Every structure is written in C-alpha cells, then in structure tokens.
Amino acid sequence: MAASAHSGHLPGAVGKKRIVLFYPRVAAPEYHRLPWATLALAGNLPSDRYEVRLVDGGKEPDPIRAVIDAAHGAEMVGISCFTGNQTVNALKAARALRRAYPTVPLVWGGAHPSMYLEQTLADPNVDVVIKGQGEWAFAQVADALTCGAEPAGIPGVSYKTRRGQPVYGAKAKMRDQNQFGRPPFEQLDPSRYLVHILIGARALTYHSSTGCPFACQFCTVNFEFEFGWTAYSAERTVDELDYLLKRTPSADAIEFADSNLIVNPKRIVDLCERMLQKGVARPWNAFGRPDQLAKLPREVWKLMAESGCKRFFVGLESGDPHILEKIQKEHTNEQVYLMAERMAEYGIAPDLSFTLGYPDDPERDVRMSLELCRDLKRIVPASVFVLNTYTPYESTPLYQEAVQHGLRTTSSLSDWERNEWKNFGFRKTITPWMTDDIDRMIRDFETLAAATFFLEEDLFQFKGVKQRGRPLRDAMIGLARRQWAKGELSHPTAVKALRRLYFAINPALNYTTASLVDGHQAGVRPE
C-alpha cells in the first residue's frame, strides 16, 4: 500500500491533514447532480483533524487538473464511481494521481468498486476499496492511513498490504445515517446543480436514504448494501431541504434521489407533513415500488399530492408475470393497475421503468411489457416510458445465468475503458440474446409513443424554445396517433422520417429536450 509522504505539511490548514474527495463526471455537465457520495463522506470526517477538499469532476472544465491541484499535500484521495463511463473517468484520474503523487493512498468506493471488488482492488491505481455504506468506514480508513497504518479489521474495507497482497474485509452492517455529520454543502454552490426535469426547469436533487431492503435479483443496490436500508429522519430531511432551498431560491422542484422513498410509509407521512409545515413544499418526484404504492391508503396519496408530489419513478421491470417471479419483484400486474388508478385519482404521474430482455424469452418479455405500457398510458395519460435493456451486473444472482447465455465478461478495471464496456448499462448492452429485431421493437415503440403524445408531453415549454414547422409536426402527430390507435407499433417508417425533418428545421431543440421525447431520462446518457 502507498504510504503518504505529506504528513504535517499542509499550507493553510495548520495541524490538519488534508483529504481530497473526487467525484468523476457521470453525465452532461448541465445534468450533473450534487455529488452526494462525496458530500456524505466529507460530512463525517472530524473538522478538527481533517481539511477536506471536494473536487466534482462534473463541474470542472479539466477534472484531472483540478484533482491533481487539490491533492498537493494531501494524505489520501477518495474516489467514488458508478459502473460505466464514470468508472472510466475515475480510472483516468487515479492514473494521473498515481503519477503525480506515487505515495498518496487512493481509496475507492461507490457502486462499481462494491460490485466488482476483486477487479477493482487488483488495479495498481487502487489501494483500498470500501464496499457499501462509506461514511463510517471511510473515517476509520482515514484515521489509519494518515497515521501510517494499514486499515486492517475494518468491516467493509478491503486493501492491499505494503507487499501488494489483497486483504478482504468482513461484511459491514448498515449504520443509522442520522449519526453521521451534515454534508458540507457550503463547499459547493447548490445553485450550480439545479437540473431540468419533467416537473420543473430548476430542480434541486436531494438524497435522504441509502440502500434497499428488497430482494430484486437484477438490482445492484440491495447487494451493494447487503439488503440494508437507513434514512435520515423526516425532521433532518426537511431541515436540510430548507437550508438548501434558501441557498437556491430559484429552485422550482425537488428530485428525491433515494432508491425507494417509501420503504417506511410512516416516514413518508411525517416527511410530507413537515414539508407543508416548514414551507418547503413544491413539486417533487421520487422513486417507489409499485406494490408499496398500491397499498398506500387514499389519505396518504392525498397528503403526498398536497405536499407537491407530481411523479413517481416506478420500477415495473416487466409485463411478463414469469419474469416478475424470476427476478423476485414481488408485485403483480393487478397491483400495477391499482397504483395507476390511484395516481390518476390524485394527479400524480408515473415514469414507468422497465429492464427489458431477460434471456429466457426476450421477445415475449418485450411484447408483454409494451402492451402493459399502452394500457397504463390509457389510465394515466401523463405516463412516461423508460425502456432500459436488462444489464447483468457481477454481484447479482442472475449474473452467472447471463454468462451461461453468452454474456462476455471483464477481467480487470481497465477493461471498462473499452468501447463495448464504458457505456455498459445505457440502453442496448452487449447481451447476445437481445437481437437487433427485438431491440428495434423497443425503439420503434418509443418513437411512435413520443410522436403520438408529443403535445401532451411538450417538454420544450421549459426551455422556451420556439418551434418551427408546425404543419410538419401536426402531420407527424396525426400519423402516429392513427398507428397507435390501431396497435400498429412496429416499423413507424413515415413517422420517423417526419420526425427527422422536424428536428432538422429546429436545431435549437438540442439533446436536452429531444432525448426526453425519445423516452430517456434527461441527461442520463453516455458522454
């Protein structure tokens, strides 16, 4: 393990040891959210012992230069990343840091290192990996490394010895995140992180809980955190929202980034009531499970609507009951319809998320899922479809089955820099059982739905962009509506042609808006 050679030499922070926390770029800069992972770590480092510098690669014109400059005189650098292009950006920065400061320990954490622990730790640009919840563990690692010791015996912490031998840590139990310190929001300007989403043009993102207690077999969150879940109290959540909103008076919406905001229904009631009492209520959206949403009593739906709830991002995953049972999703299609009816009743709309194309019978899975989409669109016209392709991750129970069906695998951290892997998880993946014909079925459905409901989902209003060629647009919509009504969902060739022409004469409609019409989430795309 690298040992810091900078101890005691900290310009501007006498007596304190400098730690740098780096969050690599993950999305287009205008859609890069607050770096909650590194903010949470920083909030739990004692300010009397450490000088913490946050470097957010998503907001830096030259992220590598920025982290190199910040790490001058540092005792250690922490790096957090998701799988995909953020891992690529993390590795580029780690290599640069290793060249510039060969003795400074590099501590990795986040979703990708947690899922691909052995691969990550084996890389020469990684000294320590923290799996799962990081606030407590990172503080323990900091105490060890800044004293020249190895981080031995810390649950959830794996590391390489000074001789380069890997030592894997024991499983860590989730700790109540209310015991952790407040993130140092003052180090960042929250107004730089307001994003354009469906419910507002300048939404503030907030993360109030960690983990997930459910057992969905395709999902990485529950396995990353060993099925643990912890959340800020409603009181703390609303107090921090109040603080952030006062610093961002132009914020017109709240985006809860929790994996599941409604794990504890009593907490959601307390949260909504406090939002109303504190005066922070405004349009908000969140993630939620369909079975839990279906079970909520009407008075809770009413309260959520009164507090500003406008949308729920709902993981339906598939319309095929066989697939739902296989992936242990635990909801039925009957519950999905009940959820949709409640949403329609209280003016709340769903973003319907699917992970399409499991290897059993991917064409059946896709067809049944698209039929469910059409039904739900009828019940809640403001529904939006998020049609993802199933992505098998190494730490999940279904991974080995995917390998048996021909999924290629990575063997090292640097493999993720190859083109076939760096955008892993974005739409069409490298799953060999997803044929071009099946993939085209999904994309045709998206194109037809986007054109059919163009006016109802007129997302350009947020940008104030003037639209040219309205006769062309109306022709596109009319043709699409006729095909949709007849159930002719494949090969919308004429609709595609009209759509291409429409965007060609409206160059101001950039990716930010056009991608939403395509069914993507705003800003969630490869670089």
Side-chain angles (χ1 to χ4, degrees):
M1 174 181 295
S4 174
H6 300 281
S7 181
H9 181 63
L10 286 175
V14 177
K16 295 185 180 182
K17 298 178 179 181
R18 180 180 302 166
I19 293 176
V20 174
L21 292 168
F22 178 60
Y23 194 72
R25 180 172 296 166
V26 66
E30 66 270 26
Y31 284 105
H32 189 89
R33 272 72 168 171
L34 275 165
W36 282 97
T38 49
L39 276 168
L41 297 180
N44 205 48
L45 291 170
S47 59
D48 61 337
R49 298 208 302 273
Y50 298 111
E51 175 207 2
V52 182
R53 294 200 178 180
L54 296 172
V55 179
D56 183 3
K59 293 297 184 182
E60 293 289 346
D62 186 346
I64 292 179
R65 182 74 265 159
V67 74
I68 291 292
D69 291 345
H72 176 68
E75 297 282 337
M76 58 185 280
V77 177
I79 301 172
S80 179
C81 63
F82 289 95
T83 300
N85 67 313
Q86 194 179 32
T87 297
V88 174
N89 292 332
L91 188 53
K92 289 177 181 177
R95 287 191 183 119
L97 286 162
R98 185 62 93 215
R99 287 193 298 268
Y101 312 112
T103 62
V104 174
L106 302 179
V107 181
W108 286 54
H112 185 86
S114 294
M115 290 185 289
Y116 295 86
L117 174 58
E118 293 185 13
Q119 275 186 23
T120 304
L121 188 59
D123 191 89
N125 303 289
V126 180
D127 299 306
V128 180
V129 173
I130 298 176
K131 181 181 186 298
Q133 189 182 34
E135 292 94 328
W136 178 84
F138 188 83
Q140 302 305 304
V141 170
D143 288 346
L145 294 183
T146 57
C147 291
E150 292 183 342
I154 304 171
V157 175
S158 300
Y159 65 98
K160 289 196 286 261
T161 67
R162 290 183 175 87
R163 294 185 176 183
Q165 297 300 310
V167 177
Y168 296 100
K171 288 184 178 181
K173 293 182 179 180
M174 289 283 280
R175 293 171 181 264
D176 179 2
Q177 68 184 45
N178 289 286
Q179 68 183 257
F180 303 140
R182 184 180 71 84
F185 300 115
E186 59 279 356
Q187 281 207 36
L188 302 172
D189 177 6
S191 66
R192 298 176 66 211
Y193 293 88
L194 301 180
V195 293
H196 169 217
I197 60 176
L198 285 173
I199 62 170
R202 295 177 61 79
L204 172 73
T205 303
Y206 184 83
H207 214 298
S208 77
S209 66
T210 303
C212 180
F214 296 96
C216 304
Q217 300 292 283
F218 67 92
C219 184
T220 62
V221 175
N222 42 20
F223 296 98
E224 177 184 354
F225 296 101
E226 304 290 351
F227 301 94
W229 176 82
T230 180
Y232 290 144
S233 66
E235 180 181 11
R236 174 168 175 169
T237 297
V238 172
D239 284 347
E240 290 191 359
L241 279 172
D242 183 52
Y243 173 82
L244 289 167
L245 290 168
K246 284 176 179 174
R247 296 193 66 190
T248 55
S250 64
D252 60 3
I254 298 168
E255 177 186 56
F256 286 102
D258 307 45
S259 296
N260 183 357
L261 188 68
I262 57 171
V263 168
N264 183 344
K266 292 181 179 179
R267 178 174 175 268
I268 192 69
V269 170
D270 193 11
L271 178 62
C272 292
E273 289 176 343
R274 289 179 182 273
M275 289 175 69
L276 289 165
Q277 293 164 5
K278 194 84 171 183
V280 303
R282 62 201 63 208
W284 60 267
N285 67 1
F287 291 71
R289 285 172 58 92
D291 51 336
Q292 287 190 293
L293 287 165
K295 293 174 184 176
L296 290 178
R298 278 190 165 88
E299 56 266 27
V300 177
W301 282 102
K302 182 174 183 291
L303 179 61
M304 290 194 301
E306 288 173 349
S307 69
C309 181
K310 298 298 181 186
R311 305 191 74 91
F312 261 102
F313 188 99
V314 184
L316 300 186
E317 317 315 342
S318 177
D320 184 346
H322 166 72
I323 294 298
L324 294 178
E325 181 178 1
K326 174 190 178 72
I327 65 177
Q328 296 184 26
K329 190 59 187 174
E330 297 183 10
H331 72 255
T332 64
N333 283 345
E334 289 73 22
Q335 287 176 317
V336 170
Y337 285 113
L338 177 58
M339 174 204 72
E341 289 166 3
R342 290 288 183 269
M343 287 187 171
E345 184 177 349
Y346 290 97
I348 298 171
D351 296 343
L352 304 170
S353 176
F354 292 80
T355 54
L356 301 174
Y358 290 85
D360 309 58
D361 188 345
E363 184 172 352
R364 170 189 161 94
D365 175 24
V366 169
R367 287 193 184 281
M368 294 187 73
S369 298
L370 298 185
E371 288 171 8
L372 179 60
C373 283
R374 289 190 74 217
D375 281 349
L376 295 175
K377 188 72 175 178
R378 229 175 2 250
I379 299 171
V380 190
S383 300
V384 169
F385 314 127
V386 184
L387 305 179
N388 302 299
T389 306
Y390 167 53
T391 304
Y393 289 96
E394 185 172 292
S395 65
T396 60
L398 298 179
Y399 180 76
Q400 287 303 321
E401 179 195 47
V403 173
Q404 292 169 7
H405 279 84
L407 177 73
R408 295 190 299 277
T409 61
T410 57
S411 60
S412 68
L413 189 61
S414 60
D415 280 352
W416 293 92
E417 295 177 296
R418 302 204 310 259
N419 285 335
E420 64 182 312
W421 290 105
K422 67 181 180 180
N423 292 326
F424 187 69
F426 287 97
R427 310 301 298 230
K428 178 71 181 291
T429 66
I430 59 172
T431 51
W433 55 86
M434 279 293 284
T435 65
D436 289 341
D437 286 344
I438 299 174
D439 186 67
R440 191 177 302 111
M441 189 191 312
I442 300 170
R443 309 313 161 206
D444 284 352
F445 180 88
E446 285 181 325
T447 298
L448 191 62
T452 301
F453 303 104
F454 190 88
L455 291 179
E456 290 84 346
E457 298 169 11
D458 186 359
L459 307 174
F460 306 123
Q461 61 183 315
F462 292 127
K463 291 286 183 179
V465 177
K466 286 187 176 181
Q467 299 177 43
R468 301 170 58 196
R470 292 205 173 193
L472 180 62
R473 182 200 69 183
D474 293 343
M476 173 189 72
I477 294 171
L479 181 59
R481 285 178 175 173
R482 287 192 292 275
Q483 283 192 232
W484 182 271
K486 294 177 181 178
E488 298 173 355
L489 307 180
S490 299
H491 307 294
T493 307
V495 172
K496 286 181 180 179
L498 291 170
R499 187 175 181 280
R500 280 195 296 269
L501 284 172
Y502 179 73
F503 281 106
I505 65 174
N506 286 281
L509 304 182
N510 57 21
Y511 186 92
T512 299
T513 49
S515 64
L516 282 162
V517 172
D518 274 336
H520 293 245
Q521 284 182 279
V524 182
R525 61 178 174 93
E527 291 185 275

